[in-house]
Amino acid sequence: MVAGTTDDLVEVVRAAHNWRSGMPLHGIGRSVPFVTLTRRGEVVELGPARVVAAEWQWLRQRPEETDRPDHRALIEAAYDEPRLRQLYPYMSHSVLNFSTTTGYPFSPSPVSLGALGSHSNFRVWRRSEVLGETATAAQAVALAVSHLPADLGPAVAGRYEA
């Protein structure tokens, strides 16, 4: 949530004390000059919907994803789907996953989407069960959505606890 570098141990203690006392992150950043908020720290206190929106924005702009046309197509197709857009998105091993929580560890992904390579084919699975392969990213998203739980709501703040 925050980052920074200093040689002044007193400033580190002050930052830790402020955090432990419940000071909002923006307040810590103002009170201890070496502290800067990360992109996540900028929005976390605004609620889970803002964290999810910020993560989608960041994911859609990441060069390592947007430079790969198959990944970009998958991310954009998933973003266009409201039921997926309400979940916290994250990439792991070139697979697009979704969490019902905004904190790590994330919840198990209700569905996962992956590009299979240069043929621009896409795979959808739930945990280790392959649900199908499609020719387009839009078809993969439609297949994924058809397998989402009916009661799936927006991501909530915090970490997943089994």
Side-chain angles (χ1 to χ4, degrees):
M1 303 290 177
V2 297
T5 303
T6 183
D7 293 329
D8 188 346
L9 190 55
V10 171
E11 290 292 294
V12 173
V13 171
R14 181 178 299 143
H17 173 74
N18 289 345
W19 174 75
R20 183 98 166 112
S21 300
M23 181 181 281
L25 295 176
H26 284 89
I28 296 170
R30 284 190 297 274
S31 70
V32 186
F34 82 91
V35 170
T36 59
L37 272 59
T38 64
R39 79 181 156 76
R40 185 176 177 78
E42 289 284 339
V43 297
V44 72
E45 292 168 339
L46 301 175
R50 288 291 296 273
V51 171
V52 168
E55 195 64 21
W56 273 108
Q57 180 181 1
W58 179 75
L59 183 62
R60 294 172 72 208
Q61 295 172 348
R62 280 178 59 188
E64 59 269 28
E65 304 308 337
T66 58
D67 287 350
R68 293 186 57 186
D70 52 351
H71 281 198
R72 182 169 187 79
L74 204 52
I75 291 166
E76 292 302 324
Y79 179 78
D80 287 343
E81 171 50 54
R83 293 201 62 210
L84 294 177
R85 192 174 53 243
Q86 71 178 345
L87 301 173
Y88 183 89
Y90 65 98
M91 295 291 291
S92 178
H93 299 89
S94 297
V95 173
L96 180 59
N97 296 285
F98 307 92
S99 178
T100 59
T101 59
T102 61
Y104 186 83
F106 301 122
S107 71
S109 189
V111 292
S112 298
L113 304 167
L116 297 177
S118 61
H119 300 111
S120 294
N121 289 324
F122 302 90
R123 179 175 289 154
V124 180
W125 62 94
R126 179 178 41 227
R127 304 206 183 21
S128 61
E129 175 191 7
V130 174
L131 301 174
E133 293 182 2
T134 65
T136 69
Q139 292 168 336
V141 166
L143 177 60
V145 169
S146 74
H147 285 85
L148 291 176
D151 62 347
L152 186 68
V156 298
R159 51 187 277 160
Y160 177 72
E161 304 206 16

